[in-house]
Amino acid sequence: MTMSNVLNIPANAKDVKIMNYINGEWMPPTSGSYMMSYNPATGEEMTPIPDSMDKDIDNAVCAAKNAFPMWSMMPAVERAAIMNRVADMIEENCQQLAMLESQDQGKPVMSAAMKDMPSCANFFRQFAKYVVDGIMETKSTSNAMMTNMSTTKREPYMMMATTQHVPSGVAGLITPWNFPMQMVCEKLAPCIAVGNTCVVKPSEMTSVTAFMMTQIMEAAGMPAGVVNFVFGTGPKAGEPLVKHKDVRLISFTGGSLTGSRIGAMAGGMYKRVSLELGGKNPSIVFNDCDMNHAVATNVRAAFQNQGEICLCCSRQYVQRDVYDMYLQMFRKMTMEEVMVGDPSNPKTFYGPMVSKQHMEKVMSYIRLAREEGAKVEFLVNPSDKMVMNVSKDGMMTIKGIENGYYMAPTLITGMKQNSRLMQEEIFGPVVCVMPFKAEEEAVQMANDTQYGLGACVWTMDKMKMMRVMKQINAGTVWGNDWLNTDECMPFGGMGCSGTSREHGPWSLEFYTETKALYYPSMN
């Protein structure tokens, strides 16, 4: 394939014509049907998204299956070279990609440029290096007995054993709308690094930067059929991908209900499945913590990316004797630091909800809070002249972009532990804060949900910190921190937060089959 450094990246998502990318070619959906996407910052129509169906999925899987023998046999150093070119192009086009990501998803441009896009490039570099360095294989030797076929005599010999990691085949990668390009790259990089081919089904709500990845793949010299993108809804495109007989493994990130359905479908077909699902993450604040640090971080953990992060700490438990002080500091810092508005403004902390439908869902929880008698506070700075109005359900009207899907940073107190507010994932800029008396109660309350994705513990007592962290049922637990991660550590959840682990060597394990090879020593 001819390589090119020229990418056609428009400045406006309205100018992006999204098509499926199958076997190295861009093509319309076989149905000829499209869905309209909307800019969440303005509420305006943006660009049509293919409404693909099972025929499109079948064509993509067929292309991936045909490409697998070539790609899986290609030397790792050659696969890595292509992946490094992908990383180069992401870095070279970082700002343009960040602008499109913001227009499509609603997150601030600065956040996408400084965090999301560098992470995308890093995934490709990281896994390119992993496969060039070689997957660490387990080796063993032991004494054994061999039976001569012509006699009954058994002769001792030295038996050697080693593992071999081999690519699985065609993978189905289904990604969410909150980190559109980052989640595509997080799954795609390890998948193809080890020699698999794939079909990517991005969220139909945020497909623009996923489509730009098709141009990057083409320009980087990715062989036809190795990476295929099919755009569409879960029922029409995602489900046929999960059910396809030639898809060997599925990696899905999204809601727990959808994940449960995918797990049931794929499990019945003996597919390998990784599910990274929702979270209702607790942050436990003890009275002996660095309060300024805890409050500042928990404000970010509540509202970053519009609260549309699976690891957001939407449940915050504060020791009773510092509860009032914590709330006062939380209110003050939020009103001073969290500016909601135009995502292209560098001063904006968070932008609009991803869609009108999702905004309505989040507002329904605010109505529920009032119905249950909880206290609802919208922490909007009264001196912010761009805020024209805040409705009783938290919807904000921003000057100049009045039709955008904006919501106020919302603090809820006075609810009960068994309230849906404390038990269900809201996935918006809404945080519930509740007091606790003692350590044992805090641990019990933190573990009192069906989820188990992340958690935070705030204390200056190291022994207490480690004791509490070890008791919390979550895949990732931070002490005096949030969202800082190590690429070599596993990521995943417990309970309704998912199955399996990915990132670093755990991704290499998931995307490969492990064989055990036994053979006699030839010395």
Side-chain angles (χ1 to χ4, degrees):
M1 176 174 290
T2 302
M3 290 174 288
S4 170
N5 292 322
V6 179
L7 294 180
N8 180 25
I9 299 183
N12 195 314
K14 286 185 176 181
D15 299 321
V16 178
K17 185 178 180 181
I18 296 177
M19 304 178 76
N20 291 333
Y21 182 68
I22 298 174
N23 202 31
E25 297 182 4
W26 290 279
M27 57 187 66
T30 54
S31 67
S33 299
Y34 290 83
M35 307 167 283
M36 183 54 66
S37 66
Y38 295 84
N39 184 331
T42 64
E44 298 174 350
E45 289 188 352
M46 195 163 59
T47 190
I49 309 298
D51 190 8
S52 302
M53 304 180 73
D54 52 359
K55 179 61 177 174
D56 303 289
I57 291 293
D58 190 57
N59 291 340
V61 172
C62 180
K65 183 179 179 181
N66 291 338
F68 176 71
M70 171 275 300
W71 183 249
S72 61
M73 294 300 293
M74 181 182 288
V77 67
E78 294 181 24
R79 294 199 301 267
I82 296 173
M83 295 179 64
N84 281 319
R85 287 197 293 271
V86 170
D88 290 341
M89 291 179 184
I90 293 172
E91 290 172 346
E92 291 166 7
N93 297 277
C94 173
Q95 193 63 33
Q96 301 97 306
L97 291 168
M99 289 174 63
L100 292 179
E101 191 79 304
S102 175
Q103 293 170 35
D104 199 24
Q105 199 275 338
K107 66 179 61 191
V109 174
M110 182 174 290
S111 176
M114 296 182 65
K115 299 173 184 176
D116 297 23
M117 299 308 145
S119 293
C120 291
N122 183 63
F123 284 127
F124 283 95
R125 295 204 191 283
Q126 175 193 4
F127 286 101
K129 185 177 187 303
Y130 266 127
V131 295
V132 169
D133 291 347
I135 299 176
M136 184 70 70
E137 301 291 0
T138 300
K139 299 181 184 296
S140 176
T141 59
S142 61
N143 292 318
M145 299 295 291
M146 180 180 292
T147 301
N148 188 309
M149 295 298 292
S150 61
T151 69
T152 58
K153 181 180 179 183
R154 297 173 62 86
E155 300 177 355
Y157 76 104
M158 185 64 69
M159 183 182 71
M160 313 296 289
T162 184
T163 56
Q164 179 194 15
H165 287 77
V166 297
S168 298
V170 179
L173 311 179
I174 304 176
T175 59
W177 50 257
N178 58 334
F179 288 89
M181 186 163 161
Q182 183 174 328
M183 292 305 303
V184 166
C185 296
E186 180 178 313
K187 295 180 185 299
L188 182 56
C191 176
I192 62 175
V194 298
N196 297 309
T197 56
C198 65
V199 177
V200 183
K201 207 296 285 183
S203 170
E204 69 275 16
M205 295 171 64
T206 51
S207 298
V208 172
T209 52
F211 176 73
M212 299 315 303
M213 281 297 295
T214 69
Q215 290 195 15
I216 291 173
M217 291 291 146
E218 184 79 10
M222 186 66 67
V226 173
V227 177
N228 305 273
F229 281 76
V230 177
F231 299 90
T233 66
K236 291 183 181 179
E239 188 166 325
L241 180 59
V242 173
K243 289 182 174 180
H244 200 288
K245 63 182 178 61
D246 291 327
V247 173
R248 299 293 301 274
L249 58 88
I250 296 290
S251 178
F252 169 82
T253 297
S256 295
L257 290 176
T258 304
S260 175
R261 179 172 171 78
I262 287 174
M265 286 190 293
M269 300 178 71
Y270 308 105
K271 299 176 188 283
R272 180 173 294 191
V273 183
S274 175
L275 303 173
E276 193 270 281
L277 309 176
K280 190 67 177 176
N281 311 297
S283 183
I284 300 174
V285 181
F286 286 99
N287 59 7
D288 60 349
C289 72
D290 179 335
M291 193 60 69
N292 287 324
H293 183 34
V295 171
T297 306
N298 277 337
V299 166
R300 187 166 59 91
F303 303 125
Q304 187 168 312
N305 204 59
Q306 304 83 242
E308 296 169 340
I309 304 177
C310 59
L311 286 165
C312 272
C313 292
S314 58
R315 290 187 296 148
Q316 299 185 8
Y317 298 103
V318 183
Q319 201 149 21
R320 186 173 294 279
D321 57 350
V322 294
Y323 177 72
D324 290 338
M325 178 180 68
Y326 178 89
L327 288 178
Q328 183 179 359
M329 294 174 66
F330 190 96
R331 293 185 188 103
K332 183 175 185 293
M333 186 165 292
T334 301
M335 295 175 73
E336 290 177 351
E337 302 292 336
V338 179
M339 175 178 153
V340 183
D342 184 353
S344 66
N345 185 341
K347 294 182 180 179
T348 295
F349 185 89
Y350 73 75
M353 300 282 92
V354 71
S355 70
K356 186 175 182 179
Q357 180 183 16
H358 185 62
M359 181 177 68
E360 291 288 347
K361 174 202 166 187
V362 175
M363 289 193 299
S364 73
Y365 282 97
I366 294 175
R367 291 191 289 271
L368 173 65
R370 288 206 168 93
E371 290 169 5
E372 293 184 350
K375 181 179 179 181
V376 177
E377 301 175 67
F378 301 129
L379 306 182
V380 178
N381 191 329
S383 65
D384 188 345
K385 303 304 181 184
M386 298 302 292
V387 179
M388 300 172 63
N389 183 58
V390 180
S391 77
K392 63 179 181 179
D393 296 330
M395 183 174 69
M396 299 176 70
T397 304
I398 307 295
K399 186 177 181 180
I401 40 178
E402 290 85 356
N403 295 322
Y405 314 136
Y406 296 92
M407 283 203 63
T410 304
L411 170 65
I412 301 178
T413 54
M415 62 275 135
K416 296 180 180 179
Q417 173 67 13
N418 63 358
S419 167
R420 288 172 52 209
L421 297 163
M422 299 295 285
Q423 297 295 322
E424 297 178 6
E425 184 179 41
I426 299 174
F427 219 59
V430 179
V431 62
C432 299
V433 183
M434 179 178 286
F436 70 89
K437 292 181 180 179
E439 177 181 321
E440 294 77 12
E441 182 187 17
V443 171
Q444 187 276 326
M445 294 166 79
N447 287 335
D448 182 29
T449 72
Q450 60 185 335
Y451 296 101
L453 189 61
C456 298
V457 178
W458 295 90
T459 175
M460 297 304 290
D461 183 334
K462 185 177 179 181
M463 291 183 65
K464 178 166 63 177
M465 177 190 293
M466 295 306 298
R467 184 170 63 243
V468 173
M469 289 174 70
K470 290 178 179 179
Q471 293 179 75
I472 293 178
N473 299 326
T476 301
V477 185
W478 285 275
N480 294 344
D481 204 352
W482 176 71
L483 213 59
N484 283 323
T485 58
D486 187 317
E487 64 186 22
C488 296
M489 295 296 287
F491 178 71
M494 301 177 181
C496 289
S497 290
T499 63
S500 190
R501 295 293 182 269
E502 294 192 43
H503 286 193
W506 281 266
S507 286
L508 299 179
E509 287 291 333
F510 173 70
Y511 287 105
T512 56
E513 298 286 353
T514 307
K515 297 164 58 177
L517 309 180
Y518 295 93
Y519 53 95
S521 171
M522 299 300 184
N523 295 334

